[in-house]
Amino acid sequence: MTDNHEHHYTEDVQHHLKQVEALLHRHGLVESLVHKQSMPREERHELVETILHKRHLSELSDKLETLHPADIAYILEALPIEQRLIVWDLVKANRDGDILIEVSDAVRESLIATMSRDELVEATEQLDTDEIADLAPDLPQAVMRDVFKSLPVEEREQLRAAMSYPEDSVGALMDFDMVTIREDVTLEVVSRYLRRFDELPDHTDQLFVVDREEHFKGVLPIHLLLVNEPETDVSTLVKHETVTLHPDDQAEQAAQAFERYDLVSAPVVDEDGKLVGRVTVNAVVDFIREESETELLNQAGLREEEDIFASVWKSAQNRWLWLALNLCTAFFASRVIGSFEGTIEKFVALATLMPIVAGIAGNSGNQTTTIIIRSLALGVVTPASARHLLLKELAISGLNGLVWGGVAGLFAYFLYHSVPLGLVMTGAMLLNLLLGAIVGLVVPLTMQRMGRDPAIGSSVLLTAITDSGGFFIFLGLATIFLIH
């Protein structure tokens, strides 16, 4: 997608959102006006029904009918809960499932809470098997039991298989809507077979060639089907060397393969060599987007995706964990400073310079952490290269420490006319930058080795260590060289 197209799309969605907000505003104004009238309650209710439902809400319903499910999902996420539920009630029932798949997890939870069991079953039955598997964790068990009973045997087994894979695996990304052919037929037979479909599955850039036992043999790109003679055998055109995925592979590895080889779709093959599904580029893009959002939330110290219009209590709870950790680290840093109260009393200038030492080391360490997390996500950091990276980051931090520590030392000298203070400032910044480099590299690598997300808590731990370490190093050097 070009930048121009993307910009136009964004403007279009924003335009739809403004139209919906305007209709909701008019709805609210009229409702407020009617409720202020001095008339019996029954007559007032009848007037509300007549004026609102036949005008603004009807217009809003017509507007929603023209929008793509993804656009409606965007609008629902951008509206306060009261208005969100008004819009949700106006959506046609046969579109509920598609919209529930598109909205964020937190907003989906608020929508599902308003739906009855029958409504949820009806909405879920409209979806493909892989989509039901995505929605399943948010649905009540009773609803899932009803959905299982309503599915044909084959789809029931597909759903059971899809739900058995971890969330970050290829099995969780794959879908079962694909076209398979045999290699012992001609292109003419394949063309006749394809014409029996009302439409091909989305992102069908290649057909999957299998034998009678569904063992994967290769792929036939659609363009070869179009440019070759109808009498040509599939076996002469099938590509045996192709990227294949396994259901238990990490979804992150699949995303890297799609990016590296410019894939649109890829077959998923089990340990027996049988074709069990496929992964398409839209599923990979969704996974990458969700991972990016999760990483940003983790770096901010949030545990999970948050509905921005959720209640104050729920939003506050979502932020408690890392705030508590930050409070503990802040108390620890304060105790480090407290242990040097005598030094600070004798040389008050130290109190004004401490934040500089801690702040620049934290910034430098965050740069290291960001680079390492990105490299881990791309799979270019290995245990063998970790030592080389550590030496490189130490060299970079050492150089930056000498240059910018020297600048800070000169600043301290000209400000307080003390050569020892300038030297202490330079030495403290050099040592704390080295500490920040070590922490910025070791923490993400340790998180990954423990099987945890490297982004979770890295910035919090880095800040805590560089702050406390910076205060200790700076005040310790000051005690040695300025006081004693």
Side-chain angles (χ1 to χ4, degrees), residues 199-405:
E199 60 180 1
L200 292 178
D202 292 337
H203 304 94
T204 299
D205 65 317
Q206 57 189 359
L207 308 179
F208 301 116
V209 182
V210 297
D211 62 17
R212 297 186 182 279
E213 284 76 37
E214 296 299 318
H215 290 99
F216 179 72
K217 296 297 183 182
V219 299
L220 175 66
I222 288 290
H223 71 271
L224 293 182
L225 175 65
L226 299 176
V227 301
N228 285 277
E229 296 296 329
E231 297 80 15
T232 307
D233 289 334
V234 170
S235 58
T236 64
L237 299 176
V238 62
K239 293 184 175 295
H240 298 285
E241 298 297 326
T242 185
V243 176
T244 58
L245 303 173
H246 189 274
D248 293 324
D249 290 341
Q250 291 293 312
E252 186 176 312
Q253 296 174 350
Q256 293 171 7
F258 269 72
E259 186 275 331
R260 186 178 303 116
Y261 303 115
D262 296 326
L263 301 178
V264 175
S265 66
V268 181
V269 181
D270 66 12
E271 60 275 5
D272 297 323
K274 292 186 176 182
L275 181 69
V276 294
R278 65 167 185 159
V279 173
T280 56
V281 66
N282 64 318
V284 171
V285 170
D286 287 343
F287 170 77
I288 294 173
R289 176 180 57 80
E290 291 170 3
E291 286 294 295
S292 299
E293 291 175 354
T294 300
E295 182 175 325
L296 288 173
L297 290 169
N298 288 336
Q299 289 177 348
L302 297 175
R303 291 181 297 172
E304 60 184 13
E305 187 176 9
E306 180 181 316
D307 180 0
I308 60 173
F309 296 109
S311 67
V312 172
W313 176 250
K314 188 170 184 179
S315 296
Q317 285 181 304
N318 193 33
R319 308 181 191 192
W320 279 353
L321 177 62
W322 289 107
L323 288 176
L325 180 59
N326 272 326
L327 183 62
C328 293
T329 57
F331 271 117
F332 180 76
S334 71
R335 295 318 305 149
V336 171
I337 297 173
S339 63
F340 290 96
E341 284 181 357
T343 301
I344 297 174
E345 287 176 358
K346 294 178 182 178
F347 216 104
V348 180
L350 297 175
T352 64
L353 297 176
M354 284 190 305
I356 300 175
V357 177
I360 196 168
N363 181 269
S364 177
N366 270 321
Q367 293 174 347
T368 300
T369 299
T370 301
I371 293 172
I372 296 303
I373 291 176
R374 175 183 178 275
S375 301
L376 288 171
L378 295 175
V380 296
V381 176
T382 63
S385 63
R387 182 174 178 273
H388 174 76
L389 283 173
L390 177 59
L391 294 177
K392 177 190 173 184
E393 290 300 322
L394 287 174
I396 294 173
S397 296
L399 178 60
N400 284 333
L402 290 174
V403 172
W404 298 107

Side-chain angles (χ1 to χ4, degrees), residues 35 57 74 85 112 115 137 144 193 201 210 255 271 333 340 349-350 370 382 406 420 436 450 456:
H35 283 294
L57 295 187
Y74 175 86
L85 297 181
I112 289 177
M115 301 176 69
M144 285 306 302
Y193 172 62
V210 297
E271 60 275 5
F340 290 96
L350 297 175
T370 301
T382 63
M450 294 170 59
I456 297 180

Side-chain angles (χ1 to χ4, degrees), residues 45-298:
H45 177 74
E46 183 179 352
L47 182 57
V48 171
E49 289 290 320
T50 302
I51 294 178
L52 300 183
H53 287 277
K54 290 187 178 180
R55 293 191 58 187
H56 298 148
L57 295 187
S58 177
E59 188 177 348
L60 181 55
S61 178
D62 293 340
K63 175 64 182 178
L64 294 172
E65 185 66 21
T66 66
L67 298 181
H68 189 277
D71 291 341
I72 298 177
Y74 175 86
I75 290 170
L76 290 170
E77 292 173 0
L79 293 175
I81 292 180
E82 297 79 8
Q83 294 184 341
R84 178 188 300 163
L85 297 181
I86 292 174
V87 171
W88 182 238
D89 287 339
L90 295 176
V91 173
K92 295 290 181 65
N94 59 1
R95 308 184 73 193
D96 286 353
D98 293 328
I99 297 171
L100 286 175
I101 285 293
E102 295 289 346
V103 296
S104 63
D105 291 345
V107 174
R108 182 187 302 143
E109 181 181 334
S110 71
L111 299 178
I112 289 177
T114 67
M115 301 176 69
S116 67
R117 177 172 173 175
D118 292 338
E119 288 174 332
L120 287 171
V121 172
E122 182 181 356
T124 307
E125 289 175 343
Q126 302 162 8
L127 303 174
D128 294 332
T129 307
D130 58 297
E131 294 174 329
I132 297 175
D134 292 337
L135 198 59
D138 299 316
L139 295 175
Q141 292 185 355
V143 172
M144 285 306 302
R145 283 197 296 268
D146 291 344
V147 172
F148 262 108
K149 293 177 183 177
S150 67
L151 293 176
V153 175
E154 182 180 1
E155 292 185 14
R156 195 179 303 170
E157 292 304 315
Q158 290 176 347
L159 177 57
R160 186 174 287 110
M163 293 175 61
S164 67
Y165 296 112
E167 186 177 353
D168 59 349
S169 69
V170 167
L173 296 183
M174 72 177 178
D175 69 63
F176 306 96
D177 193 11
M178 56 188 173
V179 180
T180 60
I181 58 174
R182 304 276 189 264
E183 61 181 342
D184 57 352
V185 297
T186 64
L187 297 185
E188 182 180 5
V189 173
V190 174
S191 297
R192 288 203 304 268
Y193 172 62
L194 294 181
R195 284 195 290 272
R196 294 168 55 188
F197 288 84
D198 293 330
E199 60 180 1
L200 292 178
D202 292 337
H203 304 94
T204 299
D205 65 317
Q206 57 189 359
L207 308 179
F208 301 116
V209 182
V210 297
D211 62 17
R212 297 186 182 279
E213 284 76 37
E214 296 299 318
H215 290 99
F216 179 72
K217 296 297 183 182
V219 299
L220 175 66
I222 288 290
H223 71 271
L224 293 182
L225 175 65
L226 299 176
V227 301
N228 285 277
E229 296 296 329
E231 297 80 15
T232 307
D233 289 334
V234 170
S235 58
T236 64
L237 299 176
V238 62
K239 293 184 175 295
H240 298 285
E241 298 297 326
T242 185
V243 176
T244 58
L245 303 173
H246 189 274
D248 293 324
D249 290 341
Q250 291 293 312
E252 186 176 312
Q253 296 174 350
Q256 293 171 7
F258 269 72
E259 186 275 331
R260 186 178 303 116
Y261 303 115
D262 296 326
L263 301 178
V264 175
S265 66
V268 181
V269 181
D270 66 12
E271 60 275 5
D272 297 323
K274 292 186 176 182
L275 181 69
V276 294
R278 65 167 185 159
V279 173
T280 56
V281 66
N282 64 318
V284 171
V285 170
D286 287 343
F287 170 77
I288 294 173
R289 176 180 57 80
E290 291 170 3
E291 286 294 295
S292 299
E293 291 175 354
T294 300
E295 182 175 325
L296 288 173
L297 290 169
N298 288 336

Side-chain angles (χ1 to χ4, degrees), residues 17-30:
L17 174 59
K18 289 178 181 178
Q19 287 182 317
V20 170
E21 287 178 329
L23 289 170
L24 287 169
H25 178 66
R26 282 152 54 189
H27 164 81
L29 286 178
V30 176

